């Protein structure tokens, strides 16, 4: 048995990395300069792919299902994505300045043992989102296959009604899953050029669909002026009811990307210099998300005008299928290329955003046996096992899922951001992040930072009554006030937990605040361990100087 486990251990690629242990391997050490390849345009390409995708397309359209009109939905999306941009940059500072990812980030926030809790939560989300995006990708594959063989759309469904998916959709999902597997072998530092190429292709495709729909309809379509008649949902009118619905829409918008906000340092650690992630993400995150949401709702509205008998075609794969059914060979060719572009965009969001992210987090949980690549394959396998298509039975259900994530992740993100930027003033002692004993300043109390635990709990509990009421099969009868708190899930939870964490850390300061290392053990800033550093520097200075001390082997003890 011991021989078998030894064979499963992660092997080092370079002698200076040391042996993988239960606390460290090459994928969770602070990245050296040679592996930091993402410049500003890399982040632009990443967010163009993750923004220009099917879930982004349906964001504003889904909000019509709660009674908002098109313009109210778009305002909610705009506000939500502006908040997302700020949160993404704030939570990305650790990765950009110290080049560590989410698993190590939480060791100084929650403690070396307490960090396992947010890590497990993020791994669960990676699995769920990987599965959800597989389904979207599978439906895009169905469009591509249907463009070649139209009979595929009418393939006899042999699955039981309770399966939650038809046979042709399942085939598309499994094909998409198979296409994804080889991409899991590519290390994240090599994603820069694929991001840029993919972002150009999907941008051209979505803009072409937008122009085509406006030209065919001769305007914005009936959904812009008659949303309630087409969606079947009564308009909210004005006043408090409308205001709280828009608040819920804002929180749901953030909920759709809150998992990506949480582990942003998994990506920013690849930044070639600390500022590479700041202005590029502040601009491209809201612009890409708002642009695709606007295109999605306008194209849906136009389609309701020229394909009225097909109902509201919320998703692009539904629209492409209708275009094929109503068009000729030319339409089939256009749908083939458009469907292929959406397949590419789903690969762009699902592989790095979910599979690789899950792999990074699993390598932090079991670094002795799992690296990024192995963890990504585990994430991919479990993403199929959970039958993700059952999460996508309707717009309201999907929104509930998004908001439910925000209940837990908003407070968690608040604790993380406030700890690094406010409590620690961007100063870390990296060597102690890999020391699971009392010698580490991040050991706290039995390896757990009680300040983070208390702050997170007090950020979550006000949201729980509304959350339980929302996800229950039948309402449990909570007061309207609790429901309104739930409508503010992510931003309220973030502010509450961040404020409480700063207050607790001020009243009970953690040991080692302001401490930094004197030598560069991992070669993170100098591509070679051992250089001296000035102990007064902050994280924003680390792109030019070394900040660490203690050997890899000492930290493995």
């Amino acid at each position: 048995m011991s021989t078998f486990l030894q064979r499963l251990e992660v092997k080092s690629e370079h002698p200076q990395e040391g042996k993988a242990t239960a606390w460290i391997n090459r994928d969770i050490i602070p990245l050296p300069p040679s592996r930091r390849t993402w410049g500003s345009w890399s982040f632009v390409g990443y967010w163009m792919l993750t923004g220009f995708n099917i879930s982004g397309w349906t964001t504003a359209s889904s909000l019509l299902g709660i009674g908002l009109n098109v313009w109210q939905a778009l305002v909610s999306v705009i506000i939500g994505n502006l908040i997302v941009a700020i949160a993404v940059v704030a939570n990305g500072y650790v990765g950009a300045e110290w080049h560590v990812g989410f698993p190590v980030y939480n060791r100084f926030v929650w403690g070396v043992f307490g960090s396992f809790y947010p890590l497990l939560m993020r791994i669960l989300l990676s699995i769920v989102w990987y599965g959800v995006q597989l389904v979207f990708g599978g439906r895009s594959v169905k469009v591509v296959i249907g463009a070649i063989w139209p009979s595929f759309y009418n393939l006899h469904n042999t699955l039981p009604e309770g399966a939650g998916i038809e046979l042709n959709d399942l085939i598309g999902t499994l094909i998409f899953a198979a296409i994804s597997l080889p991409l899991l072998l590519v290390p994240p530092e090599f994603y820069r050029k694929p991001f840029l190429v993919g972002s150009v292709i999907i941008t051209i495709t979505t803009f072409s669909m937008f122009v085509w729909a406006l030209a065919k309809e001769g305007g914005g379509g009936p959904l812009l002026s008659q949303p309630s008649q087409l969606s079947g949902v009564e308009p909210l009118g004005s006043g408090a009811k409308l205001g709280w619905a828009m608040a819920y829409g804002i929180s749901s918008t953030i909920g759709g990307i809150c998992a990506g906000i949480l582990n942003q340092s998994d990506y920013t650690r690849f930044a070639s210099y600390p500022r590479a992630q700041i202005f590029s993400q502040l601009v491209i995150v809201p612009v890409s998300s708002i642009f695709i949401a606007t295109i999605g709702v306008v194209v849906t509205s136009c389609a309701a005008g020229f394909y009225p008998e097909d109902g509201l075609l919320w998703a692009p794969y539904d629209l492409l299928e209708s275009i094929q059914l109503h068009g000729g060979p030319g339409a089939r060719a256009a749908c083939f290329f458009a469907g292929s572009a959406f397949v590419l965009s789903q690969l762009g969001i699902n592989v790095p955003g979910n599979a690789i992210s899950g792999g990074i987090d699993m390598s932090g949980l079991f670094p002795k046996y799992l690296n990024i690549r192995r963890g990504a394959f585990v994430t991919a396998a479990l993403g199929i096992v959970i039958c993700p298509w059952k999460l996508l039975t309707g717009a309201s259900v999907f929104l509930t899922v998004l908001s439910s994530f925000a209940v837990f992740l908003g407070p968690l993100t608040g604790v993380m951001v406030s700890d690094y930027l406010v409590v620690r003033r961007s100063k870390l002692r990296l060597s102690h992040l890999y020391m699971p004993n009392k010698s580490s300043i991040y050991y706290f109390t039995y390896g757990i930072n009680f300040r983070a635990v208390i702050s997170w709990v007090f950020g979550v509990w006000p949201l729980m009554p509304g959350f339980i009421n929302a996800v229950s099969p039948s309402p449990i009868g909570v007061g309207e006030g609790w429901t309104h708190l739930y409508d503010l899930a992510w931003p309220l939870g973030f502010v509450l937990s961040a404020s409480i964490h700063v207050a607790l850390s001020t009243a009970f300061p953690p040991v080692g605040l302001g401490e930094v290392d004197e030598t560069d053990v991992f070669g993170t800033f100098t591509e070679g361990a051992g250089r001296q550093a000035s102990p007064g520097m902050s994280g924003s200075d680390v792109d030019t100087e070394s900040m660490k001390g203690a050997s890899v082997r000492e930290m493995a003890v």
Side-chain angles (χ1 to χ4, degrees):
M1 183 67 177
S2 60
T3 303
F4 175 73
L5 291 177
Q6 287 177 355
R7 291 180 178 177
L8 290 179
E9 290 180 5
V10 174
K11 302 298 186 293
S12 300
E13 296 188 13
H14 303 287
Q16 72 180 45
E17 292 172 0
K19 183 180 179 181
T21 72
W23 293 93
I24 189 171
N25 66 29
R26 78 178 300 267
D27 285 335
I28 63 171
I29 62 171
L31 291 180
S34 60
R35 296 184 65 188
R36 302 200 300 265
T37 59
W38 291 26
S40 296
W41 284 105
S42 301
F43 288 99
V44 170
Y46 171 74
W47 282 103
M48 290 293 283
L49 272 180
T50 57
F52 278 56
N53 59 73
I54 295 169
S55 54
W57 178 290
T58 60
T59 299
S61 299
S62 296
L63 295 179
L64 302 183
I66 61 174
L68 298 180
N69 63 33
V70 170
W71 309 114
Q72 293 161 352
L74 289 176
V75 168
S76 299
V77 170
I78 290 171
I79 296 174
N81 279 292
L82 290 174
I83 295 173
V84 167
I86 296 170
V88 160
V89 172
N91 210 30
Y93 273 115
V94 171
E97 295 177 345
W98 295 96
H99 313 296
V100 295
F102 179 76
V104 178
Y105 187 160
N106 279 285
R107 291 180 183 178
F108 70 78
V109 178
W110 286 73
V112 290
F113 294 129
S115 65
F116 292 153
Y117 177 67
L119 198 54
L120 287 169
M121 188 184 304
R122 184 60 184 92
I123 289 171
L124 174 63
L125 291 176
S126 293
I127 293 169
V128 171
W129 274 113
Y130 184 84
V132 168
Q133 297 296 347
L134 272 185
V135 176
F136 288 156
R139 291 177 180 172
S140 298
V141 169
K142 185 175 88 168
V143 169
V144 174
I145 297 174
I148 302 172
W149 299 289
S151 60
F152 186 70
Y153 287 122
N154 301 316
L155 185 67
H156 177 62
N157 181 32
T158 59
L159 299 177
E161 185 176 347
I165 189 171
E166 294 189 358
L167 182 60
N168 50 10
D169 285 320
L170 180 61
I171 292 173
T173 299
L174 294 177
I175 291 175
F176 183 77
I179 296 172
S180 303
L181 293 180
L183 301 179
L184 305 184
L185 301 172
V186 181
E189 52 262 42
F190 298 113
Y191 285 164
R192 183 170 59 91
K193 290 182 179 179
F195 282 164
L196 294 176
V197 173
S199 64
V200 170
I201 293 173
I202 191 61
T203 301
I204 293 174
T205 300
T206 53
F207 188 73
S208 298
M209 292 178 66
F210 179 66
V211 172
W212 168 82
L214 287 175
K216 185 176 178 63
E217 176 62 13
L223 194 59
L224 302 185
S225 57
Q226 307 169 30
S228 59
Q229 289 91 325
L230 293 173
S231 66
V233 179
E234 288 296 322
L236 296 173
S238 60
K241 191 173 183 180
L242 172 61
W244 284 111
M246 293 185 68
Y248 178 70
I250 293 169
S251 187
S252 295
T253 299
I254 303 172
I257 191 60
C258 63
I261 297 172
L262 184 69
N263 70 317
Q264 186 59 207
S265 58
D266 283 342
Y267 313 116
T268 57
R269 69 194 293 242
F270 291 97
S272 55
Y273 54 96
R275 292 184 300 277
Q277 68 111 11
I278 299 176
F279 296 109
S280 57
Q281 296 198 109
L282 282 176
V283 174
I284 198 60
V285 170
V287 168
S288 62
S289 301
I290 293 166
F291 189 59
I292 189 64
T294 302
I295 287 178
V297 74
V298 172
V299 172
T300 298
S301 178
C302 291
F306 50 73
Y307 298 143
E309 68 279 5
D310 292 348
L312 289 174
L313 303 170
W314 302 110
Y317 46 75
D318 290 332
L319 172 61
L320 292 174
E321 182 176 345
S322 288
I323 292 173
Q324 292 184 53
L325 294 176
H326 292 281
R332 286 170 52 190
C335 290
F336 172 84
F337 289 109
S340 298
F342 278 105
V343 170
L344 178 62
S345 76
Q346 288 307 112
L347 291 172
I349 186 175
N350 212 25
V351 172
N354 295 314
I356 297 300
S357 176
I360 293 173
D361 297 337
M362 287 188 184
S363 71
L365 192 63
F366 302 109
K368 190 171 184 178
Y369 299 104
L370 292 177
N371 55 17
I372 293 178
R373 185 176 297 169
R374 294 178 183 179
F377 278 100
V378 173
T379 301
L382 294 178
I384 284 284
V385 170
I386 63 171
C387 300
W389 41 85
K390 292 191 175 181
L391 294 175
L392 304 171
T393 55
S396 61
V397 173
F398 192 40
L399 283 175
T400 300
V401 173
L402 299 184
S403 296
S404 67
F405 289 158
V407 165
F408 306 105
L409 302 195
L412 183 54
T413 308
V415 172
M416 293 170 63
V417 171
S418 64
D419 189 277
Y420 178 67
L421 294 179
V422 181
V423 176
R424 303 190 184 279
R425 307 284 183 180
S426 303
K427 290 184 171 67
L428 298 178
R429 191 165 187 179
L430 289 182
S431 61
H432 283 220
L433 292 170
Y434 302 90
M435 299 167 63
N437 52 55
K438 294 181 180 180
S439 300
S440 171
I441 61 175
Y442 307 120
Y443 191 77
F444 300 106
T445 305
Y446 299 106
I448 300 174
N449 183 2
F450 74 90
R451 304 163 192 81
V453 176
I454 294 174
S455 302
W456 182 79
V457 169
F458 275 84
V460 170
W461 79 263
L463 311 174
M464 288 306 294
F467 163 71
I468 295 172
N469 184 63
V471 301
S472 297
S474 57
I476 61 174
V478 299
E480 188 177 27
W482 294 112
T483 302
H484 290 335
L485 291 179
Y486 173 70
D487 291 339
L488 298 171
W490 196 95
L492 178 61
F494 180 98
V495 171
L496 285 176
S497 287
S499 302
I500 295 170
H501 188 67
V502 171
L504 288 175
S505 298
T506 302
F508 307 97
V511 298
L513 290 181
E515 290 188 16
V516 294
D517 290 313
E518 297 178 354
T519 55
D520 189 1
V521 174
F522 302 103
T524 306
F525 311 111
T526 59
E527 203 74 67
R531 285 188 53 183
Q532 294 294 320
S534 169
M537 296 174 64
S538 67
S540 60
D541 303 311
V542 299
D543 54 319
T544 57
E545 297 290 343
S546 316
M547 299 299 296
K548 304 188 297 299
S551 72
V552 176
R553 289 173 178 78
E554 286 174 352
M555 291 181 285
V557 175

